Amino acid sequence: LLDVADKRVRFGKRPPKLLRKAGYGAAEGLFSIASLVRRQGAPETALALARLALYLRPNFAIAMLLVADVLGDDKRYADANIMYGRVKASSPFRSAAALGRAKNLDSLGKTDEAIALYKDIAGRRQHDPEPLIQLGNLLRRHERWEQAIESYTDAIARVGIMEKRFWHLLYARGIAYERAKRWTDAEKDLLRALEFEPEQPFILNYIGYSWIDQGLNLERAQKMIRRAVELRPSDGYIIDLSLIHISEPRDRG
């Protein structure tokens, strides 16, 4: 969104009027209510209101995204992609629509098409790490570990200086490294992510059980897993792993 505003400022252009007719104002109101009720767990109502907004304002791109997102949540991926495709190429929401479409293509079993679309978006948005992050997540889900590592690495290069808010990127690449049996690289990423978020239960849990699996740093690993359980006592995944790895540590050393 800021890209469009920045370009307008550099060329000395005034912003267009937001509401050119009364119907546009009504559409804004309906969209706001639709967004609210969706967050409150009423997707059917949100969908109806967003479609009314589009009836009043047919080129209302952000309402298109809302409709497509709700359809995608309902696993109506093909219908969602038709709506994403209605967002004009000139719209600042076009990239968001393309990312949503790529995610749905994968859900439809068209993974190679999804990968190609993610790469196309990344190529057109050279400054933006998000398409590469989402591509890495897709590749990781499909256990294409080395390709996922490459995508995450390219995303990290676009980020530049790593900050706390990017801990999840290090965590994701660390998982891909570990699954690719590159533990030295994985440990480096995971420990760096832990520096940013020392109380993040998923990082604590992942490092802890990885160390125990390898017979490394057993005392510290058990403390990490116990702390993860304290932080997420209702998370069955963390609790199950803690019972396995604390009670039966396996020494691979």
Side-chain angles (χ1 to χ4, degrees):
L1 296 178
L2 290 177
D3 289 346
V4 175
D6 179 67
K7 184 177 180 180
R8 186 178 63 241
V9 169
R10 285 188 284 108
F11 284 93
K13 293 184 178 180
R14 294 191 175 199
K17 290 182 179 180
L18 181 62
L19 305 176
R20 287 183 242 171
K21 55 180 73 173
Y24 285 16
E28 289 277 355
L30 288 166
F31 168 77
S32 297
I33 299 170
S35 299
L36 178 63
V37 297
R38 185 194 179 201
R39 290 196 296 271
Q40 293 178 338
E44 298 88 354
T45 304
L47 185 60
L49 291 169
R51 287 196 181 279
L52 281 172
L54 285 173
Y55 175 78
L56 293 170
R57 189 175 176 182
N59 294 322
F60 196 6
I62 195 169
M64 294 177 193
L65 292 187
L66 179 56
V67 169
D69 289 348
V70 173
L71 291 171
D73 290 344
D74 197 35
K75 298 184 179 180
R76 296 167 60 184
Y77 304 118
D79 291 336
N81 277 2
I82 291 172
M83 184 59 67
Y84 282 134
R86 285 180 53 185
V87 178
K88 291 183 177 180
S90 59
S91 170
F93 295 100
R94 180 68 174 186
S95 293
L99 289 172
R101 193 157 60 88
K103 180 181 177 181
N104 287 341
L105 284 170
D106 182 47
S107 297
L108 288 166
K110 300 179 180 181
T111 300
D112 289 339
E113 289 184 39
I115 291 171
L117 182 53
Y118 277 128
K119 289 182 177 180
D120 177 66
I121 301 166
R124 287 186 283 105
R125 295 185 59 79
Q126 294 285 332
H127 64 291
D128 187 359
E130 188 60 29
L132 294 169
I133 293 172
Q134 292 194 28
L135 173 59
N137 293 341
L138 179 151
L139 294 166
R140 186 159 56 92
R141 286 195 300 273
H142 290 281
E143 300 185 358
R144 302 185 187 184
W145 309 120
E146 292 294 345
Q147 290 175 277
I149 291 165
E150 181 180 353
S151 186
Y152 288 136
T153 300
D154 290 343
I156 289 170
R158 290 188 177 188
V159 167
I161 299 173
M162 290 298 293
E163 300 174 355
K164 181 177 180 178
R165 61 195 175 103
F166 293 113
W167 70 267
H168 62 90
L169 188 47
L170 292 167
Y171 174 64
R173 189 174 69 169
I175 292 173
Y177 273 135
E178 188 270 333
R179 299 307 298 272
K181 302 187 185 305
R182 297 170 58 179
W183 174 244
T184 301
D185 293 321
E187 185 179 47
K188 182 179 177 181
D189 270 359
L190 292 168
L191 289 174
R192 192 175 178 197
L194 191 64
E195 289 178 10
F196 286 127
E197 287 287 346
E199 292 285 272
Q200 221 301 324
F202 294 111
I203 305 174
L204 289 167
N205 192 62
Y206 206 95
I207 296 173
Y209 87 70
S210 295
W211 274 344
I212 288 176
D213 274 353
Q214 299 175 71
L216 302 171
N217 308 315
L218 296 181
E219 184 176 348
R220 185 182 176 191
Q222 290 186 16
K223 288 181 180 178
M224 283 183 165
I225 293 174
R226 289 193 177 100
R227 182 56 182 157
V229 173
E230 290 173 1
L231 292 166
R232 294 292 292 264
S234 61
D235 191 311
Y237 177 73
I238 289 177
I239 292 171
D240 288 346
L241 284 174
S242 72
L243 292 173
I244 293 169
H245 292 285
I246 290 179
S247 61
E248 299 179 7
R250 290 169 286 170
D251 187 348
R252 296 181 182 174

